[in-house]
Amino acid sequence: MEPWRTAIVDARDGEIRIRGNDVTALMTERTFTDTIFLLHRSRLPSPQERRMLDAILSGCADHGSGAPSCATARLAISGNRASVSAAVAAGILAVGDEHGGAGSGCMDMIRAGVERAKLEGISFGECAARVVGEHRAIGKRVAGLGHRVHTKDPRTPVLFELAKQNGLSGDGIRFMQAIGDEVAKQVKPMTINVDGSLAAVLYDMGFEPVFARLLFIISRSAGLTAEVMEELERERPMRIRIPVTYDGEGGSTPSESE
Amino acid sequence: MEPWRTAIVDARDGEIRIRGNDVTALMTERTFTDTIFLLHRSRLPSPQERRMLDAILSGCADHGSGAPSCATARLAISGNRASVSAAVAAGILAVGDEHGGAGSGCMDMIRAGVERAKLEGISFGECAARVVGEHRAIGKRVAGLGHRVHTKDPRTPVLFELAKQNGLSGDGIRFMQAIGDEVAKQVKPMTINVDGSLAAVLYDMGFEPVFARLLFIISRSAGLTAEVMEELERERPMRIRIPVTYDGEGGSTPSESE
Amino acid sequence: MEPWRTAIVDARDGEIRIRGNDVTALMTERTFTDTIFLLHRSRLPSPQERRMLDAILSGCADHGSGAPSCATARLAISGNRASVSAAVAAGILAVGDEHGGAGSGCMDMIRAGVERAKLEGISFGECAARVVGEHRAIGKRVAGLGHRVHTKDPRTPVLFELAKQNGLSGDGIRFMQAIGDEVAKQVKPMTINVDGSLAAVLYDMGFEPVFARLLFIISRSAGLTAEVMEELERERPMRIRIPVTYDGEGGSTPSESE
Amino acid sequence: MEPWRTAIVDARDGEIRIRGNDVTALMTERTFTDTIFLLHRSRLPSPQERRMLDAILSGCADHGSGAPSCATARLAISGNRASVSAAVAAGILAVGDEHGGAGSGCMDMIRAGVERAKLEGISFGECAARVVGEHRAIGKRVAGLGHRVHTKDPRTPVLFELAKQNGLSGDGIRFMQAIGDEVAKQVKPMTINVDGSLAAVLYDMGFEPVFARLLFIISRSAGLTAEVMEELERERPMRIRIPVTYDGEGGSTPSESE
């Protein structure tokens, strides 16, 4: 088999280099957030870029034990007490377009919208109006808006304000805000959720859309480890009983779960 | 890299052999259960052995959507709609000592007990009395007994009767029944659950303890695919809201999950 | 929380019913393949339908330790020796459009093609010619054709012949064969691989496209358990060293993997 | 179903509190590493504690594409191109006692050794001599020593020096060094690897043994996302062919993988 090629890590006896940076220097002088940025951008971040990543990473680490990712991890460790790796992995498997991963689709929408506004020579407001109208015409939900808990997602104004303070606010945030305004006008006011705001910020920082989901996974891995630990320390195995009603053939009364 | 060695499959252009058996012959003349047996024992099963595996595989395929494995898979697909592989894998990650995997530990207990009875020249009843007593002395639960839904697990008498009819009932079943009798005497009557009965049967069929868990995983993969499909077809994304109460620092009232 | 609804399993004290069928009857009289069919179709299969599922399930169970699913499972157990669940789950995570899951996309293509031929009143040959031409025009690979090991996938003629013998060969197989003929004519002869043939068969049996992938997962779970066992029994932990060459910034000579 | 209890996150409309800390304050003023510490210790770290966690997190993020975790993730995305969550999860499943998780066992050994030295009133050197001797007597490997790439793991002196500079060096590091000295004396010089040094540091910081593995998982999730991205961007699907030799029944010549 031919060796695999990689440009990420060069490890040899006594030396480990990540994207050309000696790991001992990273360990001594840098933060984990710097290393995350370095791994994905092949350079170290500016203090402003690091601030933004830290804000997103802290903002998405955990949102309650009942979120699909956290609940999945807790159910897994409840039945399979021996492997914390398995439980954290199970939690990550619940991350997708519907949970934690909407930022990637939102970045696609932002990129397309910004490019379209420039190409067609229209304002972001006008472009957003068209985009929202087109979503409505085919009955598609606009990405990055609404939250099942928050009327106003508290993380969004923080991200937008930090981006402004750190000189990283650009077309992405402006376009996403235009989208929010248009949905309020054409449908009803809906909060720009954290998927929407981190998508706008990451777009302005020059990341690819898929990174929104990857960053959420890194962030949530921290929360998942804590959720798994709490389940292990505070609860007995198999304590979770999801109530189930059978409504299929031949059924009549509520049944019990295993 | 040196090639990996394997004695399972030999695949070359136009030919696939599993443990020396041409896959086209397996496809034409054999059942999936035969192939499962072949993969793990390097020979095809007798009709009696096949009957027993079929009984276990059908008996463990699904036990309700609320079991940890099934609920984990449903939560995963609820948040990550795009990947059925991810959801089935998440469900399998919930299988462990506490859920679906107790048969392996039970086979260890059976093997040790049968050997001890022979070594010490005592009856299975006497040996079981000692084993149960030793468990009680250290406060350890005896494997393979009790079920959170069933007072009497309906699968156990079926497995024991089938083993008898098929000439496969031996020391394993006798010892497990002795354990059940002793727990009834020393503690209280508890059903031999499916983990306990499949462990006894697989021991009598000559399988290694770890196979109990592997067979459960194969069996449950069938149920998990059906659970994932039902969630996809009948429910909307993110419909699951696990209720959570915060009881940590600074908390006062019930909070909501994401 | 409101109970979850399900029409799959009704489990109550002393009784388990799968799609209305008592599990003890399934265990005594039916095969695992029957139960798989029942879980997904809400009825038991005819002997002919069972034969087809058995053929597919045996045909996809394993194709060698180097396939992505099997190699992933072996790598996982090599680093994480304690959890067979984790290793089997890792293997399933490698199943997708590119490996083991192409049958679903192929069923979509078959369904669209068969409907189009009827709607446009053209023959399957004519329809296949158009479909293949359209794929070529946009540089898209036709699903279900070609195999990196087999010039002629030995499983395909077996599935087609069994379908014919069992009276289950219909539009799906006819259309898939037309696709194969057209690719041979317009591009070059390529084998209809097992994804293509099982897709055709499952279409003719009335399954939904997603079932192709689910059935592969069930089937492969059997092979994965055997691969994991072989790694555990024959190899030492961490024995796998994938060779890696660093070609990024500052690198010069081959580096080693951890 | 009764609500689940948690002391981690309190989320309600417009407000998210992690361990009593408003998430907006964490996002604005704190780093991701602070949030990781907070999630697991219910308080924010001192600058010295943060420095140590950052060093460990950067030090374990990635060690080359060929490590089991990274190779598993790359194989998974090679076959299942659609889900980055699935690939990262697969990589985490390869983390266990043998890869990335040895720190937990090492912390157990350190805790037992430090307590034993105090209880028996012997020096750490004397205690380490006994521990190493006992391992040798039963042929058990001493945790935290040796590395398949590094003669001297470059991360260990960095962690020990940082701990000293930050006033966090204590019994754990002293005992681990005594273990290293004893192995050199009784067997042969072996490097204290990163599992051994992070175990010593985390022990001195007051963490529980399981945290060593959890912290590795968080750290490695960053490297896994980069590995998955590189595979997606630089390689074609299914490009990986693990060479396999069949040595089972009826085999004669090297066979190919799927």
Side-chain angles (χ1 to χ4, degrees), chain D residues 189-255:
Chain D
M190 292 176 76
T191 186
I192 298 178
N193 59 34
V194 76
D195 295 318
S197 50
L198 70 81
V201 168
L202 293 176
Y203 175 84
D204 284 338
M205 292 174 72
F207 282 100
E208 289 298 310
V210 66
F211 186 68
R213 185 168 303 188
L214 298 174
L215 194 63
F216 184 90
I217 291 171
I218 299 168
S219 167
R220 187 51 56 100
S221 75
L224 292 171
T225 57
E227 298 283 342
V228 166
M229 278 309 300
E230 189 179 70
E231 183 71 26
L232 280 172
E233 287 173 356
R234 289 177 49 160
E235 309 289 352
R236 62 180 204 288
M238 294 291 283
R239 60 109 188 168
I240 302 171
R241 297 183 76 120
I242 304 281
V244 175
T245 301
Y246 179 76
D247 62 4
E249 185 186 351
S252 55
T253 58
S255 69

Side-chain angles (χ1 to χ4, degrees), chain B residues 16 27, chain C residues 59-60 63 97-104 106 109-110 141-160 176 179-180 190-201, chain D residues 238 258:
Chain B
I16 305 163
M27 293 169 73
Chain C
C60 298
H63 192 284
D97 283 342
E98 287 75 24
H99 173 56
S104 291
C106 198
M109 179 187 73
I110 290 168
R141 249 168 45 87
V142 179
L145 294 176
H147 195 284
R148 61 183 196 167
V149 173
H150 302 296
T151 318
K152 291 213 171 294
D153 192 319
R155 296 165 290 187
T156 292
V158 174
L159 288 182
F160 286 173
M176 193 65 215
I179 288 283
M190 293 175 74
T191 185
I192 297 177
N193 60 35
V194 76
D195 296 317
S197 50
L198 71 80
V201 168
Chain D
M238 294 291 283
E258 182 171 346

Side-chain angles (χ1 to χ4, degrees), chain C residues 161-205:
Chain C
E161 178 61 26
L162 280 175
K164 200 170 129 195
Q165 287 171 11
N166 285 284
L168 291 167
S169 182
D171 287 347
I173 292 178
R174 286 203 302 126
F175 185 76
M176 193 65 215
Q177 287 176 321
I179 288 283
D181 294 344
E182 269 307 315
V183 167
K185 208 180 296 175
Q186 294 187 34
V187 191
K188 61 172 181 181
M190 293 175 74
T191 185
I192 297 177
N193 60 35
V194 76
D195 296 317
S197 50
L198 71 80
V201 168
L202 293 176
Y203 174 85
D204 285 337
M205 292 174 73

Side-chain angles (χ1 to χ4, degrees), chain A residues 57-134:
Chain A
L57 286 161
S58 285
C60 297
D62 201 336
H63 192 284
S65 309
S69 51
C70 297
T72 299
R74 293 185 83 126
L75 265 161
I77 201 77
S78 180
N80 180 14
R81 209 80 175 171
S83 178
V84 292
S85 304
V88 174
I92 288 172
L93 292 174
V95 174
D97 283 342
E98 289 74 24
H99 173 56
S104 292
C106 197
M107 283 182 80
D108 286 328
M109 180 187 72
I110 290 169
R111 176 147 73 181
V114 169
E115 285 172 6
R116 176 178 176 180
K118 292 185 176 170
L119 202 70
E120 300 186 10
I122 54 176
S123 70
F124 281 0
E126 175 56 28
C127 184
R130 294 184 194 177
V131 168
V132 172
E134 287 156 11

Side-chain angles (χ1 to χ4, degrees), chain C:
Chain C
M1 190 176 83
E2 269 190 54
W4 295 2
R5 299 171 306 135
T6 185
I8 304 173
V9 169
D10 187 14
R12 59 194 67 244
D13 188 357
E15 190 179 5
I16 306 162
R17 302 185 78 83
I18 299 181
R19 304 282 190 197
N21 291 260
D22 195 303
V23 80
T24 62
L26 296 173
M27 292 170 73
T28 309
E29 299 155 23
R30 294 292 182 159
T31 73
F32 182 38
T33 303
D34 288 328
T35 300
I36 294 169
F37 190 100
L38 173 66
L39 281 161
H40 283 276
R41 294 291 286 270
S42 303
R43 65 169 175 86
L44 287 159
S46 68
Q48 293 75 26
E49 290 169 325
R50 180 198 309 133
R51 177 74 268 150
M52 294 314 302
L53 275 208
D54 269 319
I56 295 170
L57 286 161
S58 286
C60 298
D62 201 337
H63 192 284
S65 309
S69 52
C70 298
T72 299
R74 292 184 85 125
L75 264 161
I77 201 77
S78 180
N80 179 15
R81 210 82 174 167
S83 178
V84 293
S85 304
V88 174
I92 288 172
L93 292 174
V95 175
D97 283 342
E98 287 75 24
H99 173 56
S104 291
C106 198
M107 283 181 80
D108 286 328
M109 179 187 73
I110 290 168
R111 176 146 71 181
V114 169
E115 285 172 6
R116 178 179 175 180
K118 292 186 175 169
L119 202 69
E120 301 185 9
I122 54 176
S123 70
F124 281 180
E126 174 56 28
C127 185
R130 294 183 194 176
V131 168
V132 172
E134 287 155 12
H135 275 74
R136 293 176 64 204
I138 58 169
K140 196 180 157 193
R141 249 168 45 87
V142 179
L145 294 176
H147 195 284
R148 61 183 196 167
V149 173
H150 302 296
T151 318
K152 291 213 171 294
D153 192 319
R155 296 165 290 187
T156 292
V158 174
L159 288 182
F160 286 173
E161 178 61 26
L162 280 175
K164 200 170 129 195
Q165 287 171 11
N166 285 284
L168 291 167
S169 182
D171 287 347
I173 292 178
R174 286 203 302 126
F175 185 76
M176 193 65 215
Q177 287 176 321
I179 288 283
D181 294 344
E182 269 307 315
V183 167
K185 208 180 296 175
Q186 294 187 34
V187 191
K188 61 172 181 181
M190 293 175 74
T191 185
I192 297 177
N193 60 35
V194 76
D195 296 317
S197 50
L198 71 80
V201 168
L202 293 176
Y203 174 85
D204 285 337
M205 292 174 73
F207 283 100
E208 289 298 308
V210 67
F211 186 68
R213 184 168 304 187
L214 297 174
L215 194 63
F216 183 90
I217 290 171
I218 298 168
S219 167
R220 186 52 57 101
S221 74
L224 292 171
T225 57
E227 298 283 342
V228 165
M229 278 309 300
E230 188 180 70
E231 184 70 29
L232 280 172
E233 287 173 355
R234 290 178 48 162
E235 308 289 352
R236 62 181 204 285
M238 294 291 283
R239 59 106 190 168
I240 302 171
R241 297 183 76 120
I242 303 282
V244 175
T245 301
Y246 179 74
D247 63 3
E249 187 185 350
S252 55
T253 59
S255 67
E256 292 183 81
S257 66
E258 181 172 347

Side-chain angles (χ1 to χ4, degrees), chain B residues 6-7 25 36 42 47 75 90 110 138 160 169 177 191 205:
Chain B
T6 184
I36 294 168
S42 302
L75 265 161
I110 290 168
I138 59 169
F160 287 173
S169 184
Q177 287 175 322
T191 185
M205 291 174 72

